[in-house]
Coordinates of all heavy atoms in Angstrom, one line a residue:
L207 N 8.6 -1.5 -65.8 CA 7.5 -1.9 -66.6 C 7.7 -1.5 -68.0 O 7.2 -2.2 -69.0 CB 6.2 -1.3 -66.0 CG 5.5 -2.0 -64.9 CD1 4.3 -1.3 -64.5 CD2 5.2 -3.4 -65.3
D208 N 8.4 -0.4 -68.3 CA 8.6 0.0 -69.7 C 9.4 -1.1 -70.4 O 9.1 -1.3 -71.6 CB 9.4 1.3 -69.8 CG 8.5 2.5 -69.4 OD1 7.2 2.3 -69.4 OD2 9.0 3.6 -69.1
E209 N 10.4 -1.7 -69.8 CA 11.1 -2.8 -70.4 C 10.3 -4.1 -70.5 O 10.4 -4.8 -71.4 CB 12.4 -3.0 -69.6 CG 13.4 -1.9 -69.6 CD 14.0 -1.6 -71.0 OE1 14.1 -2.6 -71.8 OE2 14.4 -0.5 -71.3
V210 N 9.6 -4.4 -69.4 CA 8.8 -5.6 -69.4 C 7.7 -5.5 -70.5 O 7.4 -6.6 -71.1 CB 8.1 -5.7 -68.0 CG1 7.0 -6.8 -68.0 CG2 9.1 -6.0 -66.9
R211 N 7.2 -4.4 -70.8 CA 6.1 -4.3 -71.8 C 6.6 -4.6 -73.2 O 5.8 -4.8 -74.1 CB 5.5 -2.9 -71.8 CG 4.6 -2.6 -70.5 CD 4.0 -1.3 -70.6 NE 3.1 -1.0 -69.4 CZ 3.3 -0.1 -68.5 NH1 4.3 0.8 -68.6 NH2 2.5 0.1 -67.5
K212 N 7.9 -4.6 -73.4 CA 8.5 -4.9 -74.7 C 8.5 -6.4 -75.0 O 8.8 -6.8 -76.1 CB 9.9 -4.4 -74.8 CG 10.0 -2.9 -74.7 CD 11.5 -2.4 -74.7 CE 11.6 -0.9 -74.5 NZ 13.0 -0.5 -74.4
L213 N 8.3 -7.2 -74.0 CA 8.4 -8.7 -74.1 C 7.2 -9.4 -74.6 O 6.0 -8.9 -74.3 CB 8.8 -9.3 -72.8 CG 10.1 -8.7 -72.1 CD1 10.4 -9.4 -70.8 CD2 11.3 -8.7 -73.0
K214 N 7.4 -10.5 -75.3 CA 6.3 -11.4 -75.7 C 6.6 -12.8 -75.2 O 7.7 -13.2 -75.4 CB 6.0 -11.3 -77.2 CG 5.5 -10.0 -77.7 CD 5.3 -10.1 -79.2 CE 4.5 -8.8 -79.7 NZ 5.2 -7.6 -79.4
V215 N 5.7 -13.4 -74.6 CA 5.9 -14.7 -73.9 C 5.1 -15.8 -74.7 O 3.9 -15.7 -74.7 CB 5.6 -14.7 -72.4 CG1 5.9 -16.1 -71.8 CG2 6.3 -13.6 -71.7
Q216 N 5.8 -16.8 -75.2 CA 5.2 -18.0 -75.8 C 4.7 -18.9 -74.7 O 5.5 -19.4 -73.9 CB 6.1 -18.7 -76.8 CG 5.6 -20.0 -77.4 CD 4.4 -19.7 -78.3 OE1 4.5 -19.1 -79.3 NE2 3.2 -20.2 -77.9
T217 N 3.5 -19.3 -74.7 CA 3.0 -20.3 -73.7 C 3.1 -21.7 -74.3 O 3.0 -21.9 -75.5 CB 1.5 -20.0 -73.2 OG1 0.7 -20.1 -74.4 CG2 1.4 -18.6 -72.6
Y218 N 3.2 -22.7 -73.4 CA 3.4 -24.1 -73.8 C 2.6 -25.0 -72.9 O 2.4 -24.7 -71.8 CB 4.8 -24.5 -73.8 CG 5.7 -23.8 -74.8 CD1 6.5 -22.7 -74.5 CD2 5.8 -24.3 -76.1 CE1 7.4 -22.1 -75.4 CE2 6.7 -23.7 -77.0 CZ 7.4 -22.6 -76.7 OH 8.3 -22.0 -77.6
K219 N 2.3 -26.1 -73.5 CA 1.8 -27.3 -72.7 C 2.6 -28.5 -73.1 O 3.1 -28.5 -74.2 CB 0.3 -27.5 -72.9 CG -0.6 -26.5 -72.3 CD -2.1 -26.8 -72.5 CE -3.0 -25.8 -71.9 NZ -4.4 -26.1 -72.0
A220 N 2.8 -29.4 -72.2 CA 3.5 -30.7 -72.5 C 2.5 -31.8 -72.8 O 1.6 -32.1 -72.1 CB 4.4 -31.1 -71.3
S221 N 2.8 -32.4 -74.0 CA 1.9 -33.5 -74.4 C 2.7 -34.8 -74.4 O 3.8 -34.9 -75.0 CB 1.4 -33.2 -75.8 OG 0.7 -34.3 -76.3
K222 N 2.2 -35.9 -73.8 CA 2.9 -37.1 -73.7 C 2.7 -37.9 -75.0 O 1.7 -38.1 -75.5 CB 2.3 -37.9 -72.5 CG 3.2 -39.1 -72.1 CD 2.7 -39.8 -70.9 CE 3.6 -40.9 -70.4 NZ 3.1 -41.5 -69.1
N223 N 3.9 -38.5 -75.4 CA 3.9 -39.3 -76.7 C 3.8 -40.8 -76.3 O 3.9 -41.2 -75.2 CB 5.2 -39.1 -77.4 CG 5.4 -37.6 -77.8 OD1 4.4 -36.9 -78.2 ND2 6.6 -37.1 -77.5
D224 N 3.5 -41.6 -77.3 CA 3.4 -43.0 -77.1 C 4.6 -43.7 -76.6 O 4.6 -44.7 -75.9 CB 3.0 -43.7 -78.4 CG 1.6 -43.4 -78.9 OD1 0.8 -42.9 -78.0 OD2 1.3 -43.5 -80.1
D225 N 5.8 -43.1 -76.9 CA 7.1 -43.6 -76.4 C 7.5 -43.1 -75.0 O 8.6 -43.2 -74.6 CB 8.2 -43.4 -77.4 CG 8.4 -41.9 -77.7 OD1 7.7 -41.0 -77.1 OD2 9.3 -41.6 -78.5
Q226 N 6.5 -42.4 -74.4 CA 6.7 -41.9 -73.0 C 7.6 -40.6 -73.0 O 7.9 -40.1 -71.9 CB 7.3 -42.9 -72.1 CG 6.6 -44.3 -72.0 CD 5.1 -44.1 -71.7 OE1 4.7 -43.5 -70.7 NE2 4.2 -44.6 -72.5
T227 N 7.9 -40.1 -74.1 CA 8.6 -38.8 -74.1 C 7.5 -37.7 -74.2 O 6.3 -38.0 -74.3 CB 9.5 -38.6 -75.4 OG1 8.7 -38.8 -76.6 CG2 10.6 -39.7 -75.3

Side-chain angles (χ1 to χ4, degrees):
L207 277 179
D208 287 343
E209 294 294 333
V210 170
R211 289 183 178 118
K212 297 176 184 178
L213 306 180
K214 291 181 172 59
V215 181
Q216 175 67 65
T217 63
Y218 293 96
K219 291 185 178 180
S221 177
K222 191 173 184 179
N223 303 315
D224 292 339
D225 62 359
Q226 307 305 304
T227 61

